[in-house]
Amino acid sequence: MKENDSIIPAKHPRHSLGYLIFQWLRQAYDELGLILLLDLYLLAVFMLSFAPAGLFAWLEEQSLLAFDEWNVVQMMLFLLGMWLSLNGWLALNHHFSQILTFQYPLWSLFWSSYLSFMKKSFFCTLVLGGGAGILIFDALVFPRMFPGQPLVSLTAVALAFWLLLFLGMVQVHLVPFLACQERPFGVAVKRAVTVALWKPVRTLFILLIQGAFVLSCLRLPPLIFILPGAYAILSVLSLLILLDEWRDPYEKTPEAVRAGA
């Protein structure tokens, strides 16, 4: 029988959003020390990832990552920083997936798994960054394309923002799928789209938490030592709960895991 890429709902009791929140708070409280250490790892990855772009901007304009009049080299270095940072984010999620499935990985797993996600994080950067860039560009250009037709402009801008929201919902699940399952990138995208459509309320809740955490870190930078890891636990835990509810064609049995299959 041909292996199916889709997620097939199983006849298991559905876990509510309240159940997810309770489990998330309990796991986050139990792993506060681990969250702190891994967030320090992640912060180091971010600093190293954007160091070339920052150094180049300082040498060129005496300013770190100045956003005025970027040249091609500076833009490429910034995109490189985004790619390497996303790679560290995948490694962080992978480490928490190991913890939440009771595999108790060594601390060195973070750095070894960092190298294993280079290809996936590259495609993820292209899809998420490229998709968001195109949609934001469309939202800014559409009103100028139809200056005498406000209804058409409003409809086009609304469609662009709706697609941008849907892209945000997809990325909520895309990172956990890439971090937790050893599957091709295209399969992870299809599964992330499926979950975003099948669980829109849970997905929007996680997306709102993600946005709130990002804004909190920008307003209070010390929160970067605790909030990224707490959010990673939330997203990974949500995926594990969903996999428990569904017959997953890519979920390995304990026997297969022990056999190294």
Side-chain angles (χ1 to χ4, degrees):
M1 182 180 295
K2 184 178 180 180
E3 192 174 42
N4 186 11
D5 288 345
S6 63
I7 299 176
I8 308 172
K11 295 181 179 180
H12 291 298
R14 301 293 177 85
H15 296 303
S16 65
L17 182 60
Y19 176 83
L20 170 64
I21 297 174
F22 173 77
Q23 294 295 329
W24 168 43
L25 293 175
R26 188 180 70 173
Q27 292 289 346
Y29 179 79
D30 290 342
E31 304 294 344
L32 282 177
L34 178 65
I35 289 175
L36 178 60
L37 181 59
L38 289 178
D39 282 350
L40 287 174
Y41 281 4
L42 187 64
L43 181 60
V45 169
F46 283 177
M47 294 177 65
L48 292 173
S49 299
F50 288 104
L55 179 60
F56 182 84
W58 180 261
L59 294 176
E60 289 289 319
E61 305 175 20
Q62 299 299 306
S63 175
L64 293 177
L65 297 179
F67 285 91
D68 53 331
E69 299 181 0
W70 272 22
N71 55 38
V72 176
V73 176
Q74 196 166 349
M75 179 62 71
M76 294 300 295
L77 290 176
F78 184 77
L79 292 176
L80 175 65
M82 291 182 60
W83 170 33
L84 298 178
S85 297
L86 180 58
N87 200 60
W89 181 239
L90 287 173
L92 181 78
N93 280 262
H94 178 68
H95 200 97
F96 277 119
S97 72
Q98 299 288 303
I99 292 293
L100 294 177
T101 53
F102 308 103
Q103 299 184 50
Y104 304 107
L106 299 175
W107 295 110
S108 58
L109 176 67
F110 179 88
W111 302 109
S112 60
S113 61
Y114 178 85
L115 298 176
S116 65
F117 286 113
M118 298 296 287
K119 183 177 180 180
K120 291 182 178 180
S121 62
F122 177 76
F123 288 122
C124 194
T125 302
L126 290 180
V127 170
L128 298 180
I134 292 173
L135 291 173
I136 293 174
F137 176 80
D138 290 343
L140 295 175
V141 170
F142 281 150
R144 301 181 181 180
M145 294 177 60
F146 310 100
Q149 299 176 314
L151 183 60
V152 175
S153 299
L154 181 62
T155 302
V157 171
L159 178 61
F161 277 108
W162 184 88
L163 292 175
L164 190 62
L165 174 62
F166 184 70
L167 181 64
M169 294 174 64
V170 171
Q171 64 85 24
V172 164
H173 303 292
L174 180 58
V175 170
F177 271 122
L178 292 174
C180 300
Q181 295 187 327
E182 299 177 359
R183 306 307 305 173
F185 179 79
V187 173
V189 171
K190 289 190 290 184
R191 293 166 68 78
V193 170
T194 301
V195 176
L197 293 173
W198 190 263
K199 291 287 186 179
V201 176
R202 179 181 295 185
T203 303
L204 285 173
F205 168 75
I206 299 176
L207 181 61
L208 289 175
I209 291 293
Q210 184 186 64
F213 279 12
V214 171
L215 292 177
S216 299
C217 290
L218 293 176
R219 294 294 299 272
L220 296 173
L223 292 178
I224 198 173
F225 295 110
I226 191 69
L227 292 186
Y231 173 79
I233 287 181
L234 172 64
S235 58
V236 171
L237 187 61
S238 175
L239 176 62
L240 294 177
I241 291 175
L242 289 173
L243 293 180
D244 182 60
E245 296 175 0
W246 293 334
R247 294 196 306 271
D248 182 10
Y250 293 132
E251 190 72 4
K252 295 180 180 179
T253 63
E255 292 77 11
V257 173
R258 285 195 294 268

